[in-house]
């Protein structure tokens, strides 16, 4: 081939950056541009991981090393479908990889979810992580809160709501979030899982972390610790499930302590209605029972919980992409081994997908490496031995964006913004304070 393979990656989160990394390690000479809708890179790691998870956020160091590679160029503040279209990208690149993730909340179809005080977990996570598209204020007025879901996101939301603001001062929590949490009157956070302890989807590390706060008492109810044949099979087959069950059993047997706030873990409770007139005044659940397979059926026994806010943590959902096929039922782009398929299930030449937009929002951050490897193997197989056609030189896309009036950021600009944020944190006596206003982000990243 007479020139490097030119690839555009849409989305600068872990999935897109892992794909770029694998490409640079192949024998194929490449030139990669990673486009990001926001002025800053790192996606889910920056705007989806709780601030008190510094271990997970350390992944940023590995992602940064990829973005510093000479074959890779970061182009931020470019909104695909608005600032640039698929046909325009295909004019400049031999291949386009979509890795836009999942940022919306999956719907919870029960009466009352439209009431004031009922929130999606994704929006709350974006708020406490300083996402520039989310308002700085959050209505933290509830004394008692319900969180619906039995995954890691539900635990993150519950933990942040239950902890005191001062416990988060050593993290990179934004100041506006600290002030909001400091004024919160919350005393009780209730987490509801529809199935039993053996079917919970959180990880042992996330679960144990709930009990680390000196101000939060974690309460598990003995009547919720039930197992059927399906549950026992899951415990035998998975060390992770065995560990989770053991922790929950231990917590259920201990006497409640006297910490000022309480985080209640409820199992075998299905939410059926958010009650109240226009605002949340309670949550009604139905008691469930295991059916022998690990699934559940209703008992017809209902319980009303006195809560003033409800957070839905029942899963994330990807958003459709302009000019790209989309399966609304699964929230994914139809594909075969990462090759995007049209309505006739034929591969759209040069168009690929990876990450949660490819397989759905399940698994941990590291699991996207496997997705990326499969997609890149497909891409490389498609171009193997092929003659690359004429493309504009790499700087042409930057002129195209500039002519269109897009104030894009580059790696130098992001580095300047990163240093600015760290400087704010040092000046404030904190590890780090994020800039959350998009205008300020652009101003800092593009200043002379």
């Amino acid at each position: 081939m007479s020139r490097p393979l030119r690839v555009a990656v849409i989305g600068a989160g872990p999935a897109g950056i892992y794909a770029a990394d694998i490409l640079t390690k192949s024998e194929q000479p490449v030139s990669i541009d990673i486009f990001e809708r926001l002025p800053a890179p790192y996606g889910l790691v920056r705007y989806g991981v709780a601030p008190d998870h510094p271990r997970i956020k350390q992944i940023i160091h590995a992602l940064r090393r990829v973005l510093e590679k000479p074959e890779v160029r970061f182009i931020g503040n470019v909104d695909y479908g608005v600032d640039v279209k698929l046909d325009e990208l295909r004019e400049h690149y031999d291949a386009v990889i979509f890795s836009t993730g999942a940022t919306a909340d999956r719907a919870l179809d029960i009466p009352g979810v439209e009431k004031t005080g009922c929130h999606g977990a994704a929006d709350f996570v974006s708020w406490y992580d300083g996402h520039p598209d989310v308002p700085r204020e959050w209505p933290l007025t509830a004394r008692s809160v319900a969180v619906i879901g039995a995954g890691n996101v539900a635990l993150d939301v519950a933990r942040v709501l239950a902890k005191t603001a001062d416990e988060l001062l050593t993290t990179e929590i934004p100041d506006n979030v600290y002030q909001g949490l400091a004024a919160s009157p919350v005393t009780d956070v209730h987490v509801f899982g529809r199935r039993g302890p053996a079917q919970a989807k959180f990880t042992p590390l996330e679960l144990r972390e709930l009990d680390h706060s000196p101000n939060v008492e974690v309460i598990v109810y003995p009547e919720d610790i039930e197992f059927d044949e399906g549950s026992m099979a899951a415990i035998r087959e998975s060390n992770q499930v065995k560990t989770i069950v053991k922790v929950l059993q231990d917590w259920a047997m201990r006497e409640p302590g006297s910490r000022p706030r309480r985080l209640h873990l409820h199992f075998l409770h299905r939410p059926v209605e958010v009650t109240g007139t226009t605002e949340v005044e309670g949550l009604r659940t139905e008691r469930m029972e295991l059916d022998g397979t690990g699934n559940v059926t209703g008992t017809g026994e209902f319980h009303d919980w006195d809560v003033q806010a409800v957070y839905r943590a029942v899963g994330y959902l990807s958003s459709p992409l302009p000019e790209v096929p989309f399966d609304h039922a699964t929230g994914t782009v139809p594909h075969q081994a990462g090759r995007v398929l049209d309505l006739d299930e034929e591969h759209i030449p040069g168009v690929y997908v990876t990450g949660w937009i490819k397989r759905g929002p399940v698994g941990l951050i590291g699991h996207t490496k496997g997705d990326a490897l499969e997609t890149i193997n497909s891409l490389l197989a498609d171009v193997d031995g092929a003659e690359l056609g004429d493309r504009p030189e790499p700087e042409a896309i930057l002129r195209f964006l500039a002519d269109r009036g897009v104030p894009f950021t580059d790696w130098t600009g992001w580095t300047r913004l990163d240093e600015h944020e760290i400087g704010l944190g040092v000046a404030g006596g904190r590890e780090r304070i994020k800039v959350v206003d998009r205008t300020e982000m652009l101003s800092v990243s593009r200043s002379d």
Side-chain angles (χ1 to χ4, degrees), residues 36 53 55 138 145 174 212 224 231 233 310 371 376 425-426:
E36 170 57 46
H53 276 171
R55 182 188 60 83
W138 189 270
V145 179
H212 292 170
D224 289 353
S231 301
V310 175
D371 285 334
I376 296 306
V426 171

Side-chain angles (χ1 to χ4, degrees), residues 31-52:
S31 171
I32 305 166
D33 285 344
I34 302 182
F35 292 86
E36 170 57 46
R37 186 178 68 85
L38 297 174
Y42 307 133
L44 178 66
V45 181
R46 180 177 169 91
Y47 293 119
V49 175
D52 56 350

